[in-house]
Amino acid sequence: MPPTPYRYTHPKAFADLAGETYINLTTFRKNGVAVATPVWFADREGTLYVETGVNAGKVKRIRHTSRVFLAPCTISGKVKGPAVEGRARLVDSVEEQYVAKGALQRKYGLRRQLYYALLTALAWLGRRSTEPIQYIAIEPTYIA
């Protein structure tokens, strides 16, 4: 079970995560079991964006329930701070996909380009196609 989240009521809910490189994205299976995954993310006007493969487990879990927890973490997923609750949704519009891709590119730059070049090369060597990318938008949970 993730740590008790802070409950924010303003659009700067994710401000504590801004300087982090990785966040631990916790999604939930149908049976309620939490699954935490360290991911890259970028903030654009109070919405966090994450990219992953269209067939990734986190995408399937978000289709089932939009409730997520976010916490700063290391590359291996070791949590470094308190969790924040959010609501995730899959990005469907092409315009928002460009926003998400641009935000991630600005934040990670060359590292991101090298990562995707490596994935493409490995797919080519294995004679497989690369998996399409799915963007996830995460907004803060507000208290009424």
Side-chain angles (χ1 to χ4, degrees), residues 20-69:
E20 300 294 333
T21 302
Y22 299 95
I23 55 170
N24 203 332
L25 173 64
T26 301
T27 54
F28 296 91
R29 293 184 181 151
K30 289 180 183 178
N31 65 4
V33 173
V35 180
T37 310
V39 294
W40 280 348
F41 71 101
D43 186 349
R44 173 70 188 236
E45 298 176 4
T47 299
L48 298 185
Y49 290 102
V50 172
E51 63 188 347
T52 189
V54 294
N55 296 316
K58 61 183 113 8
V59 171
K60 295 172 187 175
R61 292 187 292 272
I62 288 169
R63 281 192 183 111
H64 176 263
T65 180
S66 63
R67 183 178 184 220
V68 297
F69 287 96

Side-chain angles (χ1 to χ4, degrees), residues 16 32 50 74 96 126 129-130 134:
D16 293 344
V50 172
T74 64
E96 192 174 15
S129 62
T130 56
Q134 173 67 62

Side-chain angles (χ1 to χ4, degrees), residues 96-125:
E96 192 174 15
Q97 289 173 1
Y98 280 114
V99 168
K101 183 177 182 178
L104 287 156
Q105 183 59 38
R106 275 189 297 283
K107 182 169 182 179
Y108 294 101
L110 185 59
R111 270 191 294 184
R112 184 177 173 278
Q113 288 176 281
L114 291 173
Y115 173 75
Y116 281 105
L118 179 63
L119 284 182
T120 302
L122 290 173
W124 183 79
L125 289 172

